[in-house]
Amino acid sequence: MTKFAVKGSNMRIYLDNCCFNRPYDDQSFLSVHFETQAKLAVQHMIKLGELQLVTSYILRYENSRSSFSVRRTAIENFLRNYSAYHVGPDKAKVIKHIANPIIASGVKMKDAFHVACALEAGCKYFLSTDDRLLKKFRSDEMLLLNPVDFIMLEGK
């Protein structure tokens, strides 16, 4: 078992916006369907208190820009009801400082800010369905995974 696979209510996890939106994507693709089911299992683990959800001002801002009101509302409600730790705008300078070298590595600015928030919050895991991000960036402090890979690692 890796150092990351430590189960318990003190394990912090960050899901980026594309991860939260995966259930609203075309489920006729098998990979999308699997990612959706894994993401819903992660949300269940959060609801049970097995994982601590970390949210951020970047995540809330990005969600607020969605033109799909049903999605936007459902995601905001989940963030509000289950956030164990929030990285607020008061940390903007720190987040930018952490994000700059991530951006320099070729990661898009928005994605780098999400990763920076998760790092600042001490997350063990960062979940995304963005294959480009997952291939582009590695961290010694936090494991970046697709939700399916997370579920496989945790043995759920």
Side-chain angles (χ1 to χ4, degrees):
M1 198 174 287
T2 70
K3 67 178 180 176
F4 296 103
V6 178
K7 206 182 225 182
S9 63
N10 63 347
M11 188 190 329
R12 290 183 177 178
I13 191 166
Y14 189 104
L15 286 70
D16 71 1
N17 200 51
C18 66
C19 197
F20 274 106
N21 277 286
R22 187 49 106 198
Y24 302 102
D25 294 334
D26 183 353
Q27 299 297 306
S28 66
F29 296 99
L30 196 54
S31 62
V32 171
H33 177 73
F34 286 154
E35 289 171 347
T36 295
Q37 294 309 307
K39 182 265 187 181
L40 293 173
V42 169
Q43 280 191 200
H44 185 69
M45 293 169 74
I46 291 167
K47 288 178 181 180
L48 293 175
E50 295 176 6
L51 300 169
Q52 287 187 347
L53 177 65
V54 171
T55 59
S56 71
Y57 69 103
I58 302 296
L59 184 58
R60 289 188 181 207
Y61 173 76
E62 189 176 358
N63 184 56
S64 75
R65 306 293 296 158
S66 172
S67 59
F68 301 100
S69 63
V70 172
R71 292 182 195 191
R72 185 178 59 244
T73 301
I75 293 168
E76 181 55 40
N77 286 339
F78 190 84
L79 298 178
R80 184 177 47 254
N81 291 330
Y82 295 101
S83 177
Y85 185 85
H86 182 75
V87 179
D90 58 313
K91 299 269 188 172
K93 286 185 182 179
V94 172
I95 298 306
K96 184 177 180 182
H97 177 74
I98 297 169
N100 282 336
I102 300 170
I103 294 167
S105 75
V107 173
K108 293 178 184 176
M109 185 172 68
K110 176 182 63 177
D111 294 333
F113 274 74
H114 281 295
V115 171
C117 287
L119 286 167
E120 171 63 20
C123 290
K124 294 274 187 190
Y125 295 102
F126 180 97
L127 301 187
S128 179
T129 58
D130 183 341
D131 291 335
R132 184 182 180 279
L133 169 61
L134 296 174
K135 289 176 185 172
K136 195 78 171 167
F137 184 73
R138 298 278 181 253
S139 171
D140 292 333
E141 302 169 51
M142 175 177 70
L143 203 53
L144 284 77
L145 295 171
N146 177 289
V148 173
D149 295 329
F150 173 80
I151 293 298
M152 289 175 60
L153 181 66
E154 283 297 309
K156 292 284 178 185

